[in-house]
Amino acid sequence: MVQIPNQPVPPSPAQRPVPTSADVARLAGVSRATVSYVLNNTSAVRISEPTRRRVHEAAKDLGYVPHAAARSLRAGHSRMVLMPAPAVPVGPLYSRFFSELQGALGRLDYTVVQYGSAGLHGDEAARAWAELRPVAVLVPGSGLGPQGVAVLKRSGARAVVTLGPERVEGAHALLMDHDRVGHSAGVHLAARGRRRVGVVVPEEPGLEIFSRPRLEGVRRALGGTGATTTELPLAYEEEAAARLAARWRELGLDGVFAYNDEYAMLLMRALQDAGIAVPEETAVVGADDLMLGRLLRPRLSTVHIELPSGRDLAELVDRAVREPGAGPETHEVLGARVVHRDSS
Amino acid sequence: MVQIPNQPVPPSPAQRPVPTSADVARLAGVSRATVSYVLNNTSAVRISEPTRRRVHEAAKDLGYVPHAAARSLRAGHSRMVLMPAPAVPVGPLYSRFFSELQGALGRLDYTVVQYGSAGLHGDEAARAWAELRPVAVLVPGSGLGPQGVAVLKRSGARAVVTLGPERVEGAHALLMDHDRVGHSAGVHLAARGRRRVGVVVPEEPGLEIFSRPRLEGVRRALGGTGATTTELPLAYEEEAAARLAARWRELGLDGVFAYNDEYAMLLMRALQDAGIAVPEETAVVGADDLMLGRLLRPRLSTVHIELPSGRDLAELVDRAVREPGAGPETHEVLGARVVHRDSS
């Protein structure tokens, strides 16, 4: 980083003590309880308009901001919905899903907080999340066990929702089984007459929770058809794709499910550069239905993945928070269907 | 969503009261202060090994988790670094930057929290963030003013860091001026002899904070050279790109800076489909240096953007938290250089 010469140092407001509700009460000449009633807009207590005005003015003069933590300590719970932040960079599909969820929960007056618990796993991570006393926790991926769910509930979380391949005892489950993605691709390739099918498994860490079930899904689709499945580890680099393409004929594959559209685009270019005709000699199928796949020639066939809508998920969270005793719901939320274009 | 029939409803642990440190103290037969000393690992107070063990066992039996909010109320500050979550889906560059930053801050023992303040703007958003009492706040984009910085500092934030085009009084500034991205592209296109340059401005909302300065950067680069700059609004859709390509010759453009690689790939395909030779008739330049741009033919020229490293930024935050009175630092952190391939 290039540092630019500093401006003159102004007196830092951080040095002054943080104003509290007691300071506001003193300046306004009222009790702390009155400050709390006014600033939290409590309708249960009648407070005169001039008193309200005095409290608001004192809070403004002092620059007082209520402390969410103190408020949640008093109320016993917060409006915070906590989601662990993904440890790997996310794709456009997840990014869009998260924006939508955040907007939908915001409209229901929840605050969504993504919590970066780098290096923590399973129940240890659950303890770290519990310390923030969220009212609901949404956990993508796997790793949270029944112990972790219990820790979260004992610390006051009214709803724990997992988004992953399996149910976890005590939690609501949005089942997202990526086996389906591979299965759709496998069924499609078999229907296109392919008998020796490769499956790309990214070498980048953190993607196993998606790539393993996708591979299993292809295996399941081809089981009993006499077609074979070959696992193809691949790093997301041009050189790695060129090396794989160079031994393609030796592998004798006539079709490939390439994990997602990005790996598919990478591999298809390498196959074309190595003189292998797509789809005649090898059919290529991606996943995610990115627009860029339509720009290639041949246009890329892909598995279109349906994630749950942010609004549906927000409503599930809200229902679960309102009725914490209602018992866990389980929903199948991952849809997968092949979009057949020209590469297969 | 397809609902799967419910499992039998187990008694919900959420119905039981949340255990407190007073419960732990009672079960262990010690004072609350002792519980706090033991669980916070305070070394200032000598506590016998059997007592420590009793406290830990009682906490475990009750499923007690310390309350981060209560702890930060006592300590006066937290280890929470708050970042507003982006309101628009993010690209791979930002996603990677955020993962890296999160890891680097985690290693320095901070917890990174992305806060979804959908619908809040400027100083109003600052008040919402302040309620969580973060020790540091990282604000991407523009919108936070000196008032907001002051609110955050008065509520105990020791460091406020903006990542955007301008300094904000009282905050550390990581200046990210996207003008530079457009400027590099403009200089390159002029050097390639292009005289009538189009600049794609995405129609998708939320991207103006990047697209406006990029456009200005091209204008600045071409100013005084006699070359013209034409603003080209474009939605990220094949049909929109085809419509733009259909009137390309009428526009009379011989070069285009297409905002980023994704819009560039979209537009380049549409131009090729409309029979316009790239780069002979029109040069195309993207930005972000995505790997996919290298897979196209012709290979896409692009502006490579250097973001600050997560580690550098984490160190700046840590330094600022330790020395809150040290006065704001300003760093120029956005680097931009053209990677010349075959499309220009």
Side-chain angles (χ1 to χ4, degrees):
Chain A
M1 297 198 289
V2 183
Q3 178 155 11
I4 291 176
N6 277 344
Q7 303 154 276
V9 179
S12 166
Q15 311 295 300
R16 291 199 305 244
V18 176
T20 64
S21 65
D23 300 324
V24 178
R26 209 170 303 121
L27 185 60
V30 301
S31 71
R32 278 187 69 181
T34 303
V35 170
S36 166
Y37 293 141
V38 171
L39 296 182
N40 292 309
N41 245 324
T42 312
S43 57
V45 182
R46 273 187 74 91
I47 292 167
S48 74
E49 207 33 61
T51 304
R52 281 187 192 279
R53 209 175 314 126
R54 231 163 49 234
V55 169
H56 281 298
E57 273 164 16
K60 205 175 156 212
D61 287 353
L62 291 168
Y64 171 73
V65 177
H67 192 318
R71 197 154 60 193
S72 78
L73 276 174
R74 284 195 302 273
H77 64 87
S78 64
R79 295 291 287 177
M80 183 196 293
V81 176
L82 187 142
M83 257 183 107
V88 288
V90 299
L93 206 66
Y94 182 87
S95 171
R96 202 161 52 230
F97 163 69
F98 179 71
S99 288
E100 205 186 291
L101 174 64
Q102 182 185 307
L105 282 169
R107 282 187 292 278
L108 292 169
D109 204 29
Y110 293 94
T111 295
V112 184
V113 159
Q114 271 204 334
Y115 185 92
S117 43
L120 295 180
H121 299 288
D123 297 342
E124 195 193 1
R127 293 181 64 83
W129 306 333
E131 291 201 8
L132 289 178
R133 297 292 191 270
V135 72
V137 184
L138 292 177
V139 191
S142 56
L144 183 72
Q147 297 284 340
V149 175
V151 164
L152 289 166
K153 290 201 164 180
R154 271 199 304 268
S155 73
R158 296 186 176 194
V160 180
V161 182
T162 61
L163 297 94
E166 289 166 349
R167 285 178 192 169
V168 180
E169 200 191 312
H172 300 277
L174 298 185
L175 293 180
M176 300 176 78
D177 192 349
H178 283 262
D179 175 285
R180 290 181 173 200
V181 177
H183 189 261
S184 310
V187 167
H188 171 75
L189 286 166
R192 306 295 299 163
R194 308 302 157 142
R195 312 285 299 155
R196 297 176 304 284
V197 172
V199 179
V200 168
V201 177
E203 288 184 345
E204 283 68 25
L207 300 177
E208 305 80 14
I209 59 163
F210 307 115
S211 62
R212 302 317 305 184
R214 289 184 186 190
L215 172 64
E216 287 316 309
V218 176
R219 283 219 173 94
R220 188 162 63 82
L222 300 181
T225 68
T228 60
T229 309
T230 304
E231 193 175 331
L232 303 171
L234 177 62
Y236 190 59
E237 290 159 10
E238 278 185 289
E239 302 68 31
R243 279 195 301 273
L244 177 56
R247 58 193 190 89
W248 199 257
R249 291 210 169 100
E250 189 184 312
L251 289 163
L253 301 173
D254 60 9
V256 61
F257 170 59
Y259 177 67
N260 72 11
D261 286 350
E262 289 171 295
Y263 287 84
M265 289 188 251
L266 175 66
L267 180 58
M268 188 161 87
R269 164 56 56 197
L271 292 174
Q272 288 174 323
D273 286 351
I276 290 157
V278 177
E280 297 75 9
E281 203 171 340
T282 292
V284 178
V285 177
D288 282 353
D289 197 7
L290 295 189
M291 203 237 276
L292 296 177
R294 279 182 260 163
L295 306 179
L296 301 186
R297 297 298 177 261
R299 289 165 187 263
L300 185 66
S301 295
T302 188
V303 180
H304 181 90
I305 298 175
E306 236 30 284
L307 290 182
S309 86
R311 204 167 60 180
D312 284 354
L313 180 47
E315 279 167 9
L316 168 64
V317 168
D318 188 47
R319 204 160 60 233
V321 165
R322 287 162 189 276
E323 299 167 21
E329 296 181 23
T330 300
H331 300 271
E332 281 280 2
V333 293
L334 191 133
R337 63 184 164 79
V338 168
V339 180
H340 183 192
R341 298 203 186 101
D342 309 326
S343 68
S344 63
Chain B
M1 296 197 292
V2 183
Q3 177 154 13
I4 292 175
N6 278 344
Q7 303 155 277
V9 179
S12 164
Q15 311 296 297
R16 292 197 307 241
V18 176
T20 64
S21 65
D23 299 324
V24 178
R26 208 170 302 122
L27 185 61
V30 300
S31 71
R32 278 186 69 180
T34 302
V35 170
S36 165
Y37 293 142
V38 171
L39 295 183
N40 292 310
N41 246 324
T42 311
S43 57
V45 181
R46 273 187 74 91
I47 292 168
S48 75
E49 208 32 61
T51 303
R52 281 186 191 279
R53 209 175 313 126
R54 234 166 43 238
V55 170
H56 282 296
E57 273 164 16
K60 202 174 159 214
D61 287 354
L62 292 169
Y64 171 73
V65 177
H67 194 318
R71 197 155 58 193
S72 78
L73 276 176
R74 283 195 303 274
H77 64 88
S78 65
R79 296 291 287 177
M80 182 197 291
V81 176
L82 186 141
M83 259 183 105
V88 289
V90 299
L93 205 67
Y94 181 87
S95 170
R96 201 162 53 230
F97 162 70
F98 180 71
S99 288
E100 205 187 290
L101 174 65
Q102 183 184 305
L105 282 169
R107 282 187 293 279
L108 292 170
D109 204 29
Y110 293 94
T111 295
V112 184
V113 159
Q114 272 204 333
Y115 185 91
S117 43
L120 295 181
H121 299 286
D123 297 340
E124 194 192 4
R127 293 181 65 86
W129 306 333
E131 290 201 8
L132 289 177
R133 296 292 191 270
V135 72
V137 184
L138 292 177
V139 190
S142 56
L144 183 71
Q147 298 283 340
V149 175
V151 164
L152 289 167
K153 290 201 165 179
R154 271 200 303 269
S155 74
R158 296 187 177 193
V160 180
V161 182
T162 61
L163 297 92
E166 290 167 349
R167 285 180 192 167
V168 180
E169 199 191 312
H172 300 276
L174 298 184
L175 293 180
M176 300 175 80
D177 191 349
H178 283 263
D179 175 285
R180 289 181 174 202
V181 178
H183 189 261
S184 309
V187 167
H188 171 75
L189 285 166
R192 304 297 298 162
R194 307 302 158 143
R195 312 284 301 156
R196 296 177 303 283
V197 173
V199 179
V200 168
V201 177
E203 289 185 344
E204 284 67 24
L207 299 177
E208 304 80 13
I209 59 164
F210 306 116
S211 63
R212 301 317 305 184
R214 289 184 187 190
L215 171 63
E216 288 314 310
V218 176
R219 284 219 172 96
R220 190 162 61 84
L222 299 181
T225 68
T228 60
T229 308
T230 304
E231 194 175 331
L232 302 171
L234 177 63
Y236 190 60
E237 290 159 8
E238 279 184 288
E239 301 68 31
R243 278 195 302 274
L244 178 56
R247 55 191 192 93
W248 199 257
R249 290 210 170 101
E250 188 186 312
L251 288 164
L253 301 173
D254 59 10
V256 60
F257 170 58
Y259 177 67
N260 73 9
D261 286 350
E262 289 170 295
Y263 287 84
M265 289 188 251
L266 175 65
L267 180 58
M268 188 161 86
R269 165 54 60 198
L271 291 175
Q272 289 174 322
D273 287 352
I276 290 158
V278 177
E280 296 76 8
E281 203 172 341
T282 293
V284 179
V285 177
D288 282 352
D289 198 6
L290 296 188
M291 204 238 275
L292 296 176
R294 277 181 261 164
L295 306 179
L296 301 186
R297 298 296 176 262
R299 291 168 186 261
L300 184 66
S301 294
T302 188
V303 180
H304 181 90
I305 299 175
E306 222 56 90
L307 289 182
S309 86
R311 205 168 58 181
D312 284 352
L313 181 46
E315 279 167 11
L316 168 64
V317 168
D318 188 46
R319 205 161 56 233
V321 166
R322 287 163 189 273
E323 299 167 22
E329 295 180 25
T330 301
H331 300 271
E332 281 281 1
V333 293
L334 192 133
R337 62 183 164 79
V338 168
V339 180
H340 184 193
R341 298 204 186 100
D342 309 326
S343 68
S344 63

